[in-house]
Amino acid sequence: MTKAINVLVITVKSLSVAVALMLLLQWPLRVWIGHGSVEANDIGQWIFALYVAFAIGFTTQKNRHFTLGLVGQFKKKQLLIDFLFISLGLIPWSFVILIFAIPKALDSILIQELFPETFNPYYWIIRTSIVIMIINLNLSAIWVFIKNNRILKR
């Protein structure tokens, strides 16, 4: 399982290079070739959406997110704050977001939604990325909670 997660992390990290490449290509495509910059922008948008959908969860899982700075001498207080945030903030709000996002994402997938201005394909990936991000974030937060609970019991 850990090996599969590591492969997924490496794959997601490579998406950041793809986003940078798409952003970098926009100007030469517009100026020198005369077309393709809009397509590069659209591709960059859905690659970035996928990158963010996974990166936020991985950051939470590795405990690399911003905290209140209590880590270290106040480890138990930090774990309590994490628990309160996960149980009273993150998970309830995530369910609210999922209630609204899942039907939109499913509709978008079914109709193969296009980008509104350019009518390029794959806009549905952006809508689906929201659902992926919320699910990934919750799973990562629950994993952190379980890990922290083990630490507290020691």
Side-chain angles (χ1 to χ4, degrees), residues 66-119:
F66 292 108
T67 62
L68 297 177
L70 298 174
V71 178
Q73 66 189 98
F74 301 112
K75 183 76 172 167
K76 288 191 177 191
K77 284 185 181 180
Q78 182 62 51
L79 296 178
L80 177 64
I81 289 170
D82 288 348
F83 169 75
L84 290 173
F85 171 73
I86 290 168
S87 60
L88 300 176
L90 180 73
I91 292 175
W93 275 109
S94 295
F95 282 119
V96 171
I97 293 170
L98 285 175
I99 288 169
F100 292 103
I102 288 174
K104 291 275 190 190
L106 290 175
D107 288 345
S108 186
I109 291 168
L110 290 174
I111 65 170
Q112 295 290 297
E113 188 173 9
L114 307 174
F115 279 86
E117 294 91 22
T118 61
F119 303 109

Side-chain angles (χ1 to χ4, degrees), residues 7 12-13 17 37 44 52 71-72 86 88 121 126 135 143-144 148-149:
V7 169
V12 169
K13 283 181 180 179
V17 175
S37 64
V52 169
V71 178
I86 290 168
L88 300 176
I126 294 174
I135 291 170
W143 184 84
V144 166
N148 289 347
N149 196 25

Side-chain angles (χ1 to χ4, degrees), residues 46 95 142:
W46 63 258
F95 282 119
I142 291 167

Side-chain angles (χ1 to χ4, degrees), residues 15 31 77 84 125:
L15 289 177
V31 173
K77 284 185 181 180
L84 290 173
I125 293 174

Side-chain angles (χ1 to χ4, degrees), residues 14-25:
S14 68
L15 289 177
S16 64
V17 175
V19 169
L21 181 64
M22 288 297 112
L23 292 174
L24 182 69
L25 285 175

